[in-house]
């Protein structure tokens, strides 16, 4: 009940993020129900239905990432002064955040169930079309227990992930503190950057960067190895609707490349900050580079996921352009749009979280007389630096991923 009251009085931007979570949950729930409907209509092709269900893991993961990102930036999940005395300590706030996430996801799942039943024609009215009969299993009974179990996957998983990410932790001094947006990392959490902090940030080595790039290279090498041979033309990566025939090594290679980009994301963001502050930078370039290095942990992973999805989408489009007999189906389009929307919204949410975390630093700079134009130019430089580093890398990985499948 408290979570619902907090939702009613939330800022419109917070409500928009929760609405996006509900929409993503609804789209993912519709895909899960479509896989169940296909299995009910085609019991003889159990392998095909199982692979369809496995493909739904990608939008499920994207939805969970968006839900956790939205919960991290929710003001209701941040400890405020005097809230512990009112009984809203870190544990209670974590429970509220997890409950709010579950409520948003359940709302989306309920809408997905209604839409699915309407398209199938189970709620009366117009008769289901032939495409709905083939893709959604219209005209065949849908197991209620299986449908409810699949619809519960996103709310339960998202709420659990939110509780794990926002759980209270103890710092080195033994005091209970919140992680994520409530405490931040280092000076970006609300204290001005000191000389010691900036020097430590400039000299730190992104240890995960070489491991991430090694995983990416290993994934591309694996995909190249398993894609050789004349049978390659018949084993192009099929998405929902035409799922049989994918070599498992290709999927494993893409998964390794994606994991490598996600792992290397913070290191790439920190490298962008280093390049921005290299040499003898001016005030604007130095400020932009230092802030980007400090925020690399917070924004690196979402940017890595975005780069991985963008490279995969680019490679998939090139592969399907070379294979006109495998057109995109409606479920493929829905899944791709859902994943792209979720990872983009997660990256923007991480940027908003980073902006909130450096509020005190920005206020300190303003008190020192720093013009707003300087802060704006520093923000533009950070965006340009990320585009210069991540853009060509994403394009190169996409080209290398698609190249073995085109020959």
């Amino acid at each position: 009940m408290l979570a619902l009251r907090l939702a009613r009085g939330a800022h419109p931007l917070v409500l928009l993020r929760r609405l996006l979570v509900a929409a993503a949950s609804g789209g993912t729930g519709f895909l899960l129900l479509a896989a169940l409907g296909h299995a009910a209509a085609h019991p003889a092709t159990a392998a095909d239905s199982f692979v369809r269900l496995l493909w739904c893991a990608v939008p499920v993961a994207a939805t969970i990432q968006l839900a956790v990102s939205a919960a991290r930036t929710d003001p209701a999940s941040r400890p405020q002064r005097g809230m512990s005395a009112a009984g809203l300590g870190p544990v209670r706030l974590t429970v509220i955040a997890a409950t709010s996430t579950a409520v948003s996801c359940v709302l989306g799942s309920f809408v997905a169930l209604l839409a699915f039943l309407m398209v199938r024609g189970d709620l009366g009215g117009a008769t289901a079309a032939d495409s709905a009969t083939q893709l959604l299993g219209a005209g065949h009974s849908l197991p209620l227990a299986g449908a409810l179990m699949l619809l519960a996957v996103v709310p339960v998983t998202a709420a659990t992930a939110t509780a794990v990410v926002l759980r209270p932790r103890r710092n080195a001094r033994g005091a209970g503190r919140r992680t994520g947006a409530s405490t931040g990392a280092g000076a970006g959490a609300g204290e001005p950057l000191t000389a010691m902090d900036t020097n430590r940030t400039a000299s730190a080595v992104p240890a995960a960067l070489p491991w991430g790039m090694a995983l990416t290279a290993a994934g591309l090498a694996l995909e190249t190895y398993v894609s050789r041979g004349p049978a390659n033309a018949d084993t192009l990566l099929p998405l929902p609707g035409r799922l049989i025939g994918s070599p498992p090594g290709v999927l494993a290679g893409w998964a390794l490349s994606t994991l490598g980009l996600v792992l290397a994301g913070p290191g790439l963001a920190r490298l962008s900050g280093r390049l921005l502050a290299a040499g003898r930078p001016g005030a604007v370039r130095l400020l932009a580079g230092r802030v980007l290095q400090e925020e690399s942990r917070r924004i690196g992973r979402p940017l890595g996921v975005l780069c991985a999805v963008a490279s995969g989408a680019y490679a998939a489009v090139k592969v399907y352009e070379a294979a006109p007999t495998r057109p995109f189906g409606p479920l493929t389009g829905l899944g791709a749009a859902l994943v792209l929307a979720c990872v983009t919204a997660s990256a923007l949410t991480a940027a908003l979280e980073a902006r909130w975390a450096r509020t005190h630093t920005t206020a300190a700079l303003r008190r020192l007389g720093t013009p707003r134009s300087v802060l704006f130019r520093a923000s533009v430089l950070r965006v340009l630096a990320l585009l210069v580093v991540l853009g060509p890398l994403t394009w190169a990985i996409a080209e290398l991923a698609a190249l073995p499948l085109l020959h």
Side-chain angles (χ1 to χ4, degrees):
M1 185 61 67
L2 179 58
L4 293 176
R5 292 184 177 180
L6 291 175
R8 289 179 54 190
H11 191 272
L13 188 59
V14 177
L15 294 178
L16 176 61
R17 288 197 291 266
R18 292 177 180 172
L19 183 61
L20 290 177
V21 173
S25 177
T28 304
F30 190 90
L31 292 176
L32 291 171
L33 291 176
L36 180 62
H38 182 272
H42 305 84
T45 58
D48 189 9
S49 301
F50 180 71
V51 176
R52 287 173 177 265
L53 188 61
L54 285 182
W55 270 109
C56 295
V58 179
V60 167
T63 302
I64 293 172
Q65 184 200 14
L66 177 60
V68 173
S69 300
R72 285 167 60 94
T73 55
D74 194 340
S77 64
R78 303 170 188 164
Q80 304 292 338
R81 184 175 302 175
M83 295 184 70
S84 297
L88 294 177
V91 177
R92 186 81 178 273
L93 291 177
T94 301
V95 174
I96 292 176
T99 303
S100 300
T101 300
V103 169
S104 300
C105 293
V106 167
L107 177 62
S109 299
F110 178 73
V111 174
L113 179 60
L114 291 180
F116 182 76
L117 294 178
M118 289 181 61
V119 174
R120 280 170 46 99
D122 294 338
L123 298 181
T127 305
D130 294 337
S131 59
T133 303
Q134 181 180 3
L135 295 176
L136 308 180
H140 298 79
S141 59
L142 193 69
L144 180 60
L148 294 180
M149 287 182 61
L150 289 179
L151 288 178
V153 169
V154 174
V156 172
T157 310
T160 304
T162 300
V164 171
V165 171
L166 298 182
R167 71 188 185 278
R169 293 180 180 175
R170 291 186 175 274
N171 57 13
R173 298 179 181 179
R177 298 189 64 180
R178 292 287 302 281
T179 58
S182 57
T183 58
E191 298 179 0
L193 288 172
T194 62
M196 183 179 298
D197 292 331
T198 54
N199 290 334
R200 184 175 63 249
T201 301
S203 61
V205 177
L209 180 57
W211 288 103
M213 300 312 297
L215 280 178
T216 302
L220 294 175
L222 178 61
E223 181 189 350
T224 303
Y225 177 77
V226 300
S227 299
R228 296 182 303 177
N232 184 35
D234 296 330
T235 57
L236 295 177
L237 181 65
L239 296 178
R242 295 294 296 269
L243 288 169
I244 302 300
S246 292
V250 173
L251 302 182
W254 281 33
L256 277 179
S257 300
T258 300
L259 180 61
L261 278 176
V262 174
L263 187 62
L268 292 173
R270 181 166 293 183
L271 178 62
S272 303
R274 287 189 185 182
L275 295 177
L276 196 57
R280 294 186 175 181
V284 177
R285 194 154 61 92
L286 179 62
L287 176 63
R290 290 287 194 248
V291 172
L292 187 56
Q293 292 178 65
E294 187 67 25
E295 294 176 350
S296 60
R297 274 186 152 184
R298 185 175 286 110
I299 66 175
R301 295 291 172 83
L303 287 178
V305 175
L306 180 60
C307 292
V309 172
S311 63
Y314 179 82
V317 169
K318 293 202 66 174
V319 168
Y320 273 85
E321 286 178 352
T325 58
R326 295 177 182 269
F328 287 106
L331 297 181
T332 301
L334 174 61
L338 181 63
V339 172
L340 286 173
C342 285
V343 298
T344 303
S346 298
L348 293 176
T349 303
L352 291 177
E353 180 188 359
R355 182 180 180 183
W356 173 85
R358 65 172 184 270
T359 301
H360 294 279
T361 302
T362 304
L365 292 173
R366 290 291 297 156
R367 287 194 299 269
L368 292 174
T370 305
R372 292 186 181 273
S373 59
V374 172
L375 300 178
F376 176 76
R377 281 183 290 169
S379 300
V380 173
L381 280 179
R382 290 196 296 272
V383 175
L384 291 178
L386 291 174
L387 289 177
V388 168
V389 173
L390 298 180
L393 179 63
T394 303
W395 174 81
I397 292 177
E399 288 286 347
L400 291 175
L403 187 61
L405 300 176
L406 298 177
H407 299 283

